[in-house]
Amino acid sequence: MVDKTLADNTFSFSKDVLQDIASRVLDLARQQGATAAETDVSEGLGQTVSVRLGEVETIEYNQDKGVSVTVYLGQKKGHASTSDFSDQALQDTVKAALDIARFTAEDACAGLADRQLLATDFPDLDLFHPWKLSVEQAIDLARNCEDAARGVDARISNSEGASVSAQASHFIYANSNGFLAGYPGSRHSISAAVVAEEAGSMQRDYWYSAARHPDDLDDPIKVGRTAGERAVRRLSARRVKTGQYPVLFEAPVAASLIGHLVSAISGGNLYRKSSFLLDALGQPVFHPNIIIDEDPFVLRGMSSGAFDSEGVETSARRLIDQGVLQGYMLASYSARKLGMQSTGNAGGPHNLLVHTTGESFAELLQQVGTGLLVTELLGHGINTVTGDYSRGAAGFWVENGVIAYPVEEITIAGNLRDMFRRMVAVGTDTLARGGKVMGSVLIESMMVAGED
C-alpha cells in the first residue's frame, strides 16, 4: 500500500482525519433521520508554473478541500456540499441535504449501490507519486520546454508558452452500507504551444505529456520540440476537393472517437433513449478487427481504481470483442432504470485500451493511399441520438501512401454507426491520453468537404 507517512506529509489532513470526517457525516445523517447516506471527503493541492517568451507568466498554487453528502429518506434524495470541515458546517450540510430530500419526489431507482457489489479488496495500483518540485525547478523545466519549441525553426514567431504542473489529492468515500475506503493520487504534466508564421500565414500547435509519476513524463525538451515541429509542418496549408476518402485519425485525436462510444453506451443516455447504440448489446458495433478492453488495474493508470464513485467493485473486462459490444457502462441508478446491474462505472470508464491491429503509422498511410490524415478536430457537431457526425478538421493530404501537404478549413462528416463499422485498423503508434490508450485509427471512407 501507499506509504502513509509520505501521504500524511504531503497533505494538510491525514487519511485518518478524512475517515473521521466521513464517519461523522454518516453519524449526523443517521441522527437527523436519514434512512441511508453517502459522503465523499477530499483534499487536493498543487503548483502550476507557466512561462512565455522566456519570462515567467504565472505561478499558481491551488489547495482545496470539500465534503459532499447525499442522503435518502426512503427513496427521496438530497445532496449538499461544503468546503468547511468544522463540526457545525458538517451538521448544517447534512441538514441542507435532508431539507432538499424532503421536498423531492420519490424515485424507485434512487438509493445506495447494492451492498453485495461493494469492493472488499483494495490493491495498491501505484497511483501516488508526489513531485517535490521547487518553483525554481519548475520554471527551469518550463523554460527548457519552450526554448526547445521555439528553437525548432526560424519560422516559429510567437509562443503561447509552456507550463509545468504538479498535482496531488486524496479522498475517502463512505456510505451507510458499511463501505469506507479511499486513496491518494497524483497527476503531473508538461506542455507547450507555439505559433509558426510564413508568408502571412500563421499556424499554432501544441504538445503535452501527463503521468502519475514524474519519471513517466516525456523530457521537457522532447515535448517542446514536438510542439514546434507540429506547428511548422502545418504552414502553407490548403483545402482539398470535396469527396469520399479514407480518413486516418492521428492517435491524439483518435481517442475522441472512443469518447463517443463511451457516451453512447453510458447508462444515462441509454435509459433516456438518447443514444445511437440503443439495444446494441451483443451486436456488431465496430469492424471485426476492433478489440477494446477496460482495465481498472493498470499500474499508474490515469483512470485506475479498485472501486467506482459509489464504492462498487471494478473489474477488468472486454468491452468490444471482434467488433461486438459486450457491455454497457452503468452506475447504480442507470442500472436500475434499465433493469440491469451496475458495471462499476459511476464516475466514468477505467482505462480503455484499444488493441492495435498491427500496422505501423507508415503502413496505415500506405493503406490510406489517397485520402486525409486528421491531426486536429474543431467544433462539436455530434448528435448522440442519431450518431450524425460533422466536425471541422485540419491535417494533411495523403497521396500514394505519403503525406503530400497540410490541409485546413475542411469538414469531415459521417455517422458514428458507419464510422465504427468502417474502422478497419488501429496503429502501433500507441499513445496514452487520459484514460484512453490507443494508436492512430483508419476509417475506410468518410465525406470530406472542402472546395467544390
Side-chain angles (χ1 to χ4, degrees):
M1 294 297 289
V2 171
D3 185 327
K4 183 173 179 293
T5 304
L6 177 61
D8 288 350
N9 288 340
T10 302
F11 302 111
S12 299
F13 300 90
S14 69
K15 176 181 178 181
D16 290 342
V17 169
L18 297 193
Q19 288 178 331
D20 289 344
I21 293 171
S23 297
R24 175 64 174 151
V25 168
L26 296 181
D27 288 343
L28 288 168
R30 183 175 61 254
Q31 292 165 12
Q32 294 185 35
T35 55
E38 58 187 331
T39 184
D40 186 287
V41 187
S42 63
E43 179 192 9
L45 54 89
Q47 167 189 287
T48 302
V49 169
S50 64
V51 303
R52 181 173 177 271
L53 300 175
E55 298 296 326
V56 177
E57 190 161 62
T58 60
I59 298 173
E60 299 177 6
Y61 297 97
N62 58 285
Q63 184 163 12
D64 52 71
K65 63 186 192 300
V67 179
S68 67
V69 57
T70 300
V71 298
Y72 297 90
L73 292 171
Q75 289 180 306
K76 295 182 175 184
K77 174 183 175 181
H79 177 84
S81 61
T82 181
S83 59
D84 187 343
F85 282 2
S86 71
D87 194 67
Q88 186 61 54
L90 299 181
Q91 292 186 54
D92 292 344
T93 303
V94 171
K95 182 180 182 299
L98 282 162
D99 288 343
I100 292 168
R102 291 187 182 97
F103 292 98
T104 302
E106 288 195 1
D107 187 333
C109 296
L112 300 177
D114 297 340
R115 190 187 301 265
Q116 69 272 18
L117 298 180
L118 298 177
T120 56
D121 186 30
F122 307 101
D124 180 6
L125 300 177
D126 201 26
L127 305 180
F128 182 62
H129 298 279
W131 195 1
K132 301 299 184 182
L133 192 68
S134 70
V135 172
E136 292 77 17
Q137 290 171 321
I139 290 170
D140 285 344
L141 290 177
R143 278 185 173 141
N144 290 341
C145 184
E146 188 190 39
D147 288 347
R150 296 173 66 197
V152 163
D153 193 290
R155 290 171 290 179
I156 294 178
S157 60
N158 209 337
S159 170
E160 293 185 4
S163 67
V164 174
S165 178
Q167 304 289 326
S169 63
H170 66 150
F171 76 98
I172 292 293
Y173 169 79
N175 65 36
S176 53
N177 276 343
F179 187 91
L180 189 149
Y183 51 86
S186 54
R187 291 173 183 265
H188 314 300
S189 65
I190 300 172
S191 64
V194 290
V195 177
E197 185 175 3
E198 184 178 52
S201 169
M202 299 175 69
Q203 295 288 349
R204 168 201 178 275
D205 216 322
Y206 72 98
W207 197 248
Y208 74 91
S209 176
R212 296 278 193 180
H213 195 301
D215 289 350
D216 295 335
L217 291 169
D218 286 345
D219 181 84
I221 292 174
K222 179 182 177 183
V223 172
R225 283 178 180 160
T226 303
E229 289 165 358
R230 291 176 69 86
V232 168
R233 71 178 187 169
R234 295 179 60 169
L235 289 169
S236 303
R238 323 176 207 168
R239 299 178 75 190
V240 295
K241 294 289 185 183
T242 296
Q244 290 277 152
Y245 304 104
V247 175
L248 178 60
F249 287 76
E250 188 188 33
V253 294
S256 68
L257 298 174
I258 305 307
H260 302 319
L261 167 69
V262 170
S263 178
I265 63 173
S266 291
N269 284 330
L270 291 169
Y271 79 73
R272 295 185 187 97
K273 299 191 182 300
S274 58
S275 166
F276 66 92
L277 291 181
L278 287 177
D279 303 317
L281 198 60
Q283 301 298 314
V285 171
F286 282 83
H287 190 279
N289 285 350
I290 303 302
I291 296 172
I292 303 176
D293 289 334
E294 182 183 22
D295 188 353
F297 307 116
V298 176
L299 296 181
R300 300 186 184 179
M302 297 298 271
S303 295
S304 294
F307 55 91
D308 70 2
S309 61
E310 297 177 320
V312 172
E313 182 178 32
T314 56
S315 59
R317 59 174 173 158
R318 181 139 292 176
L319 194 63
I320 302 290
D321 189 11
Q322 296 181 330
V324 176
L325 179 62
Q326 302 294 315
Y328 292 145
M329 291 194 173
L330 309 177
S332 296
Y333 183 82
S334 59
R336 291 172 188 141
K337 294 287 281 188
L338 294 167
M340 303 177 78
Q341 181 174 289
S342 172
T343 57
N345 289 114
H350 308 281
N351 299 319
L352 297 178
L353 315 174
V354 184
H355 290 221
T356 178
T357 52
E359 296 88 349
S360 67
F361 184 72
E363 289 169 333
L364 290 178
L365 289 176
Q366 287 295 316
Q367 280 189 236
V368 170
T370 297
L372 179 68
L373 165 63
V374 174
T375 61
E376 183 179 24
L377 291 167
L378 308 163
H380 301 281
I382 293 92
N383 186 319
T384 308
V385 179
T386 64
D388 288 341
Y389 182 99
S390 178
R391 298 192 68 178
F396 298 87
W397 189 245
V398 179
E399 291 180 357
N400 299 317
V402 177
I403 291 175
Y405 52 83
V407 296
E408 63 181 355
E409 295 181 5
I410 55 174
T411 300
I412 56 174
N415 184 279
L416 285 165
R417 270 188 174 274
D418 298 331
M419 292 163 62
F420 289 169
R421 294 300 299 273
R422 294 174 178 173
M423 190 182 290
V424 294
V426 180
T428 57
D429 55 332
T430 302
L431 183 67
R433 284 287 165 94
K436 303 177 186 71
V437 182
M438 63 188 301
S440 298
V441 162
L442 175 59
I443 295 176
E444 57 186 355
S445 179
M446 288 185 71
M447 173 59 70
V448 177
E451 297 176 331
D452 294 333

